[in-house]
Structures are given as C-alpha cells and as structure tokens.
Amino acid sequence: MKSLKHLIDIKSLSKTTLEALFDTADTLKQTPIKDTQLWHQDKSAMALFFENSTRTLTSFQLACQRLGVDVTALNIAHSSTQKGESIKDTVETLNAMQTDLFIVRHQQNHIQQQMADWQLSNHAGHETSIINAGDGTNQHPTQGLLDLYTIRQHKKDFKQIKVTIIGDIKHSRVANSLLDGLHTMGTTDIHLFGPNKFIPDTLKPFQASSMQAALTDSDVVVMLRIQKERLAAGVDVSVEDWHHNYGLNSEQLLLAKPDAIVMHPGPMNRGVEISDAVADGPQSVILEQVSNGVLMRQSLIHHLLIQTD
Ligand code: CP
C-alpha cells in the first residue's frame, strides 16, 4: 500500500489502498478494544470542527480512543477564532503543539488541502497528518469510505451492482466522495435522481429520467437530504413537494431488487427524503453505516499513524 500522509479526498486512494483499509477494518472488528488501545498510545489528535456534526465527530473521537490516541476536540464556539484569529494562525498555533493528526471539518471547500500546503511552506519542521472530515460541498472522504465498506459487506462485486443516489446531489459532499470511490472500485451502473437544478452538469450523464427508472432493479439505494445550509440565497424548496417527488417510501422500494440495501449518511429528515417505514425497515443499513464509521475511521487513523512512526 502506498504511503498515506493525509486524507484530503477519496480520489487519491487507489483500489489497492481502499481494499487495504477495508481489510484493516475487518481485522479491527475482530480485535478486542483492550488490545487496539495499545496500538498508538504515544500519539495525539485534534478534532477541529468548524461545522456541526453528530456522527463524524463522535466516531472520530471513539476511533482515536479505541486506538489509544489521545484526542482533543477544540470547541470552536469558545476558541480564539471568535476573537478574529484566522484559520491559518489557528492551524499554525495548534501545529506548534506537535500533535500527530488534525481532523478537520469546515464550510470552505479545499481548506484541508490549503492546510497541508501551509504546513509545507512553514519552516517549523513538524508536519501533522490531516484528515478531511468534510469541506463545504466538495468532499467527505471518510463518509465515502464507510459507505463503500458497508456496500462491500452486502454485495459481492462492485462491478456487478446498480447504485442509485436520490436527492440533493449538487450540494452533497457525501455524493461526490461516494461517486469517486465507486468509480475506483469499478462500479459503472450509477443512476442519479433529483430536481434537475440539483444535478450538476458534470454528473448529467448519470441522471435518470424518473424516480422509477432510477430505482428499478437497483442493488443499492442512497437517499440524501436537502442541504438547506448550502442553498444559494433565494432558492426555496418545498418539503411537501420534495417528499412527493423525491422521497422514498415502501411502495417505491419494491421497484428495487428484493435484496437491495437502503443507505443514508444522516442526518435524516424523516417524512421528507425517506419514510419511517423505509428508514426503520429490513432493507435499511443506516445504523450499520454508523457502526462502520467508527471502524473505517480507526482503520484510516491506524494507516496514517504507522507512516509517521
Ligand atoms: N454523515 C455526517 O457527516 O453526519 P454528521 O454531520 O452528523 O457528522
């Protein structure tokens, strides 16, 4: 496996690297936490979340703890960014504390790449690994990893599956990372559906003509919420219309294969993009995605930290 210093996007990971990360997650699943807690006891991490999170922040914290990594989550609302300190000065200040890993979520696209570049131009000599925990509308690579890992647990061959993604694709960093990962794993039968204005031009070749066409014989159905916080000023979306046109209910799910899985990265808006019956139904793997998130993040952190040993 190629040496991994940062995880900025999922495109940079080869199929071999993705498979190595999945295999390590499988190993971690079988290994008692009391043993994995001895793996990286001399390491430290900082979680810098400039945007809200439930799943990603807590799963990164647990992943660190289960590997013995000492983790600190900076409370952005009470940090000196509120006194006007720039993100660059914040990062350089924290970098000077010689931590091993930054886990960063930010509303600005590409900020984690900028952080990596600042480190290279800084003469302090210490380079902290950076994990992108979500940047604006661009990438959410660890969500992509856990989504791929979940699909791998249920489907035999990435090359033989039909994957359907429905919702607000345009503002979804989750969709971008999953699509990049699926391409690397060899999935070509990909269908996107949502309001025309919410399918970016670059992804129009994958646009389905209808919800029915998108769902028919699908193996994997991924539902996405409306990214209200990222909509341009003046763009208004009716929740009722959305549910009617782009929401998944039990009847529509019958169009997919009987063993199709239903995924959602969370947070879910029940009754909007997904009905209660589907979210809590037998085909839903939404909580498995959450459990796998801890494992995949442990796997990634382990691979990054063994490079710095
Ligand atoms: N899927 C996801 O990123 O969820 P959070 O915003 O709760 O971290």
Side-chain angles (χ1 to χ4, degrees):
M1 177 175 154
K2 208 175 138 208
S3 151
L4 200 57
K5 179 69 198 171
H6 308 295
L7 180 68
I8 306 293
D9 58 41
I10 208 165
K11 264 199 300 271
S12 321
L13 305 179
S14 66
K15 189 171 179 222
T16 308
T17 300
L18 288 175
E19 281 169 348
L21 289 168
F22 300 150
D23 290 345
T24 301
D26 286 343
T27 303
L28 283 158
K29 197 173 184 175
Q30 306 300 330
T31 311
I33 292 172
K34 67 176 175 40
D35 295 339
T36 61
Q37 278 176 334
L38 303 174
W39 287 10
H40 295 289
Q41 282 188 317
D42 56 341
K43 301 293 184 189
S44 60
M46 282 192 195
L48 315 176
F49 275 59
F50 294 84
E51 269 190 351
N52 295 343
S53 171
T54 295
R55 282 147 285 268
T56 312
L57 176 59
T58 50
S59 64
F60 265 118
Q61 288 175 304
L62 270 182
C64 285
Q65 287 159 10
R66 289 178 185 179
L67 290 170
V69 177
D70 189 14
V71 59
T72 302
L74 181 67
N75 186 336
I76 300 296
H78 293 103
S79 75
S80 290
T81 57
Q82 306 303 324
K83 302 177 198 163
E85 190 164 46
S86 71
I87 175 87
K88 188 166 190 279
D89 283 333
T90 302
V91 167
E92 285 183 356
T93 299
L94 298 173
N95 207 31
M97 297 181 193
Q98 312 273 307
T99 191
D100 299 288
L101 191 60
F102 287 145
I103 302 157
V104 184
R105 171 171 283 194
H106 202 281
Q107 56 276 16
Q108 188 180 325
N109 287 9
H110 306 294
I111 192 76
Q112 294 87 352
Q113 183 59 58
Q114 272 188 42
M115 288 170 61
D117 295 342
W118 290 333
Q119 287 196 94
L120 286 179
S121 59
N122 179 332
H123 301 295
H126 178 74
E127 199 186 353
T128 307
S129 286
I130 297 168
I131 298 177
N132 180 356
D135 63 317
T137 57
N138 183 40
Q139 284 284 319
H140 192 349
T142 60
Q143 180 72 44
L145 288 175
L146 75 89
D147 288 344
L148 293 174
Y149 184 64
T150 304
I151 294 170
R152 179 182 176 263
Q153 286 180 334
H154 289 270
K155 303 293 161 194
K156 282 195 187 72
D157 185 354
F158 279 96
K159 292 190 176 122
Q160 302 295 327
I161 54 172
K162 172 174 175 176
V163 177
T164 301
I165 307 179
I166 297 174
D168 175 5
I169 316 282
K170 182 177 175 183
H171 303 99
S172 175
R173 55 195 180 200
V174 171
N176 290 341
S177 289
L178 177 57
L179 287 168
D180 287 344
L182 287 170
H183 292 317
T184 303
M185 295 307 294
T187 307
T188 53
D189 197 8
I190 294 171
H191 302 257
L192 308 179
F193 189 64
N196 188 45
K197 66 182 176 194
F198 283 178
I199 310 279
D201 288 343
T202 50
L203 295 176
K204 288 281 196 258
F206 300 99
Q207 187 173 12
S209 55
S210 65
M211 184 98 170
Q212 184 179 17
L215 285 170
T216 298
D217 291 333
S218 189
D219 297 281
V220 176
V221 181
V222 182
M223 300 307 297
L224 298 175
R225 71 182 174 92
I226 312 164
Q227 308 268 308
K228 280 193 182 141
E229 69 277 28
R230 301 187 211 289
L231 298 187
V235 176
D236 199 19
V237 177
S238 150
V239 163
E240 288 76 26
D241 288 352
W242 192 280
H243 182 59
H244 185 254
N245 295 319
Y246 311 108
L248 183 65
N249 60 34
S250 303
E251 197 183 330
Q252 288 158 323
L253 185 55
L254 291 172
L255 292 166
K257 287 193 182 149
D259 64 347
I261 55 169
V262 177
M263 303 174 69
H264 193 305
M268 279 188 282
N269 291 299
R270 288 167 178 265
V272 184
E273 71 271 12
I274 193 165
S275 69
D276 284 332
V278 174
D280 302 328
Q283 289 169 267
S284 169
V285 295
I286 295 167
L287 291 178
E288 273 179 55
Q289 288 174 266
V290 176
S291 306
N292 286 337
V294 181
L295 281 175
M296 276 312 300
R297 289 175 175 124
Q298 272 182 273
S299 171
L300 173 69
I301 291 166
H302 172 64
H303 279 273
L304 289 170
L305 292 180
I306 52 178
Q307 311 296 331
T308 57
D309 276 343

